[in-house]
Amino acid sequence: MASVNVLFLLISLLSRTQGQSCDYKGTLTGHTTLTKTLLTSCPRDTTYIDISYNEFTTVSVDAFDGFYALAKINITNNKITELPVGLFDQSFKASLTELYGSDNMLESLHNDVFENNFNLRILDLSNNRLNFIDTNVFHKDLSKLELVNVSYNQMTYFEPWPYIPETPQTDDIDLVFDIQHNLIEKFTNTMNWTYNLVEPYEYLVNLQFNKISEMSDDVIFMYRDKVEDQSVLTELLTYNVNVTNNPYFCNCKLYELVRDLHASFFLYYRVEEYRYRCASPPHLANVDLLHDLDLDQFVCNITDNCPLNCTCQEKPYISTLEMNCTNANLRELPQTLPPMSDNIQYVSLYLSGNRITEITKRNYSNIIYNLTVSNNNINYIDGEALKEMVNLNNLDISGNALKYVPKEIQKLSFHKVKVRGNPFQCECNMTWMADWIALSNGADESSITCSSDDKTHVIKDVTEKGLDCNISDFVIIFSVIMTVVVGVIIGGIITARRCPYETKVLIYRFLRIHPRDLYKVDQDETMHYDAYLSFDGEDIQVRQWIKTIFMKKLEENGKKKYKFFCPLRDALVGEDYGQDLVQKMTQSRRIFVLLSPGYFTDTWRIYESDQAEMEHNANSENHPRVVYIIWHDENEVIKQNLQKEPWKSRLIGKRVLSPDKRFFLVKNSL
């Protein structure tokens, strides 16, 4: 009896073992549709069915119906084109853990195909023709997933499917999505997934060997509206996405990613594993773009709207668009610029060797940083155009046909301008150039010349006296005097009453008569100084103008010598510096405040201007105690500050002068 029981047990165990596995590998050839009937010989308690290496093209939705313990299915190496919805939603839906379907002809996966397979761990659909995966195929309830292999397919985009399953963070198991060797070239987000990953990250996505050629902020902003550290790669690495071994086009569109990486510790993160290499342009092929390429190598060659025979290149490293039109047969400055990305702020134009005849305004004048127009036929430069070039830093107009240059060119220091090789004429309207050249230390073109009456003169030595400019002045003065005489008869009294200061300036300028000042402060014998000078001593041009022109002419005046207090020259050094400034200001009849760009950010100069206002307001007499001088009144920095308080209110009712204006006269309301 015992032997019978043992035999029965062995038969039972053998039967159970055979029932756990059904091997139809290569045995069902000749059938194109897998049906329930073909599997009738397989026990209902089977846990593994292998129908690989057959010729099935379709699978009936009920093919595996009745297998209540089925955990593993192998349908590899067939010609199956579709996995119908409901195929795995049978009695075994809770027991299915592994599905192998590689080497078929699947083209798509639709929602609900794995709707109730909560225990699915491994899904291998590699080596198919997948080009579409619906947004809810990998739903949040697939919490046991460990591996999804869809490598060697035909996907052209990446959706955030890997991050939808809510896998437990305590099992120390990552969900690996292998999407290598597809045709992916872009990232999409049609499912509107938003970034919500927290450490430890449960996901690993392999996107190597695809067609990804660029990476930008748009990739991250697609999944997360706000990137706190503004680092594309840092964010991308938190997704645990491996995008190495892709054909990156190493141009300006990769600049931000590489720049952010260079500024983070990820530059040294698993270097050998995470090497990103250029596929193009050809001269950078196979170069590690993160570790072996300098930032200035990431440029974009632009062809749209770039003039014929020119090259246009975006260089985000210096925020500049460079347009090189050397010897391009241009007759004028380009009318427009090519479309530029947001991080381009300036343009550099290299236009040497053309047939350009003039420099005039363009709608992009305000962003020109470098303008090289040497060896053209330029005979005219519009001074207003130079004013609009508020960011101009270098100007090369050498080798042209210029007889003179406008005074607006003085916005640049002489050493930043190249003017050699022009047929300058020595005229009275260009004597200012001598001072301009003299203010630039070490200028390498200080020996440029001009011609007059078949004589050649060094421009830096040309003076009004040397050119007999007094004759021209006499003609001007005579004309003005005659006009003034007629004007005095008609409206002199009205003008004198409305504009007393301006009238005195004109009378002094043309008649050399100085009307007596009636202000009490001018009669105060206790005053030690005629004027207190407040200016930005760090600005070399301002400092030189104050020293060599303003103070020199007034302190060395032959008829009346004025005495100035100049903090840069006369102030005490040490703890009493501020107190000394206040004392000297109190002892001065006038306070001249010269407003230049640097003045508004200089702490001591702001202190001086505050004290000057206090001195002005403390005097009950209505007199011009404080006089403002605007240094280049068209300068954008100065104009912007004068529209703000307290400067806007301070200038109301004050004397406002400017070295740029004839006779220094400026309207009070700026």
Side-chain angles (χ1 to χ4, degrees), residues 414-613:
F414 179 75
H415 70 274
K416 293 185 177 181
V417 181
K418 295 181 180 179
V419 297
R420 187 184 298 276
N422 281 282
F424 291 121
Q425 296 296 308
C426 300
E427 297 178 357
C428 295
N429 64 355
M430 60 168 291
T431 55
W432 56 267
M433 291 185 68
D435 290 333
W436 178 47
I437 295 173
L439 287 174
S440 182
N441 295 327
D444 60 358
E445 297 192 22
S446 59
S447 61
I448 58 173
T449 61
C450 61
S451 300
S452 175
D453 298 329
D454 297 327
K455 295 180 181 180
T456 301
H457 305 272
V458 177
I459 289 183
K460 69 176 182 178
D461 297 330
V462 171
T463 63
E464 292 185 1
K465 183 177 180 180
L467 295 178
D468 294 326
C469 293
N470 292 332
I471 297 177
S472 299
D473 281 349
F474 176 78
V475 174
I476 295 173
I477 293 172
F478 179 78
S479 301
V480 173
I481 289 175
M482 295 304 297
T483 304
V484 169
V485 170
V486 176
V488 167
I489 296 174
I490 298 174
I493 297 176
I494 297 175
T495 303
R497 285 182 176 274
R498 291 184 176 180
C499 308
Y501 173 76
E502 287 80 358
T503 302
K504 288 194 294 182
V505 171
L506 291 173
I507 291 174
Y508 180 76
R509 171 63 177 169
F510 299 122
L511 303 179
R512 297 299 178 183
I513 299 174
H514 191 288
R516 179 180 176 83
D517 291 322
L518 301 179
Y519 301 119
K520 184 181 294 186
V521 69
D522 295 315
Q523 313 303 322
D524 190 345
E525 298 296 333
T526 64
M527 293 294 182
H528 294 176
Y529 303 96
D530 290 298
Y532 180 105
L533 304 181
S534 177
F535 61 93
D536 177 18
E538 297 298 323
D539 189 320
I540 184 173
Q541 294 193 42
V542 171
R543 186 173 72 244
Q544 291 290 343
W545 183 82
I546 287 287
K547 178 181 177 182
T548 62
I549 298 177
F550 190 86
M551 291 176 62
K552 182 172 182 174
K553 287 188 177 182
L554 294 178
E555 286 189 329
E556 299 177 9
N557 191 301
K559 295 182 179 180
K560 176 176 174 55
K561 295 184 178 181
Y562 293 88
K563 184 178 181 182
F564 295 130
F565 177 81
C566 176
L568 196 66
R569 180 188 65 184
D570 306 320
L572 296 177
V573 178
E575 298 180 357
D576 295 331
Y577 179 72
Q579 183 178 354
D580 183 49
L581 296 182
V582 175
Q583 181 183 15
K584 296 302 190 296
M585 200 174 291
T586 305
Q587 297 172 347
S588 301
R589 292 187 174 87
R590 297 286 187 278
I591 302 170
F592 284 90
V593 178
L594 194 156
L595 298 177
S596 60
Y599 193 96
F600 300 99
T601 57
D602 190 316
T603 304
W604 277 110
R605 305 294 77 79
I606 298 299
Y607 173 77
E608 286 179 331
S609 65
D610 291 342
Q611 294 298 321
E613 285 298 312

Side-chain angles (χ1 to χ4, degrees), residues 212-239:
I212 300 171
S213 62
E214 64 181 61
M215 193 73 64
S216 67
D217 287 340
D218 295 339
V219 174
I220 301 304
F221 294 148
M222 189 185 306
Y223 307 125
R224 187 177 182 185
D225 292 338
K226 182 180 180 182
V227 180
E228 295 178 359
D229 63 4
Q230 296 298 315
S231 173
V232 176
L233 191 66
T234 300
E235 292 290 321
L236 199 60
L237 289 176
T238 63
Y239 296 149

Side-chain angles (χ1 to χ4, degrees), residues 599-667:
Y599 193 96
F600 300 99
T601 57
D602 190 316
T603 304
W604 277 110
R605 305 294 77 79
I606 298 299
Y607 173 77
E608 286 179 331
S609 65
D610 291 342
Q611 294 298 321
E613 285 298 312
M614 293 173 63
E615 283 294 316
H616 177 82
N617 296 330
N619 197 306
S620 59
E621 297 291 334
N622 183 19
H623 62 80
R625 184 76 183 281
V626 179
V627 179
Y628 285 98
I629 301 176
I630 309 300
W631 182 258
H632 300 326
D633 62 336
E634 293 298 327
N635 183 277
E636 288 298 321
V637 175
I638 297 177
K639 289 172 67 175
Q640 291 174 10
N641 278 282
L642 294 185
Q643 296 301 320
K644 303 176 184 177
E645 297 295 347
W647 303 104
K648 184 176 181 179
S649 297
R650 285 181 176 179
L651 267 64
I652 296 176
K654 300 288 198 314
R655 299 301 180 197
V656 182
L657 311 178
S658 173
D660 290 339
K661 303 298 182 182
R662 192 167 181 81
F663 310 140
F664 269 46
L665 301 181
V666 175
K667 292 182 179 180

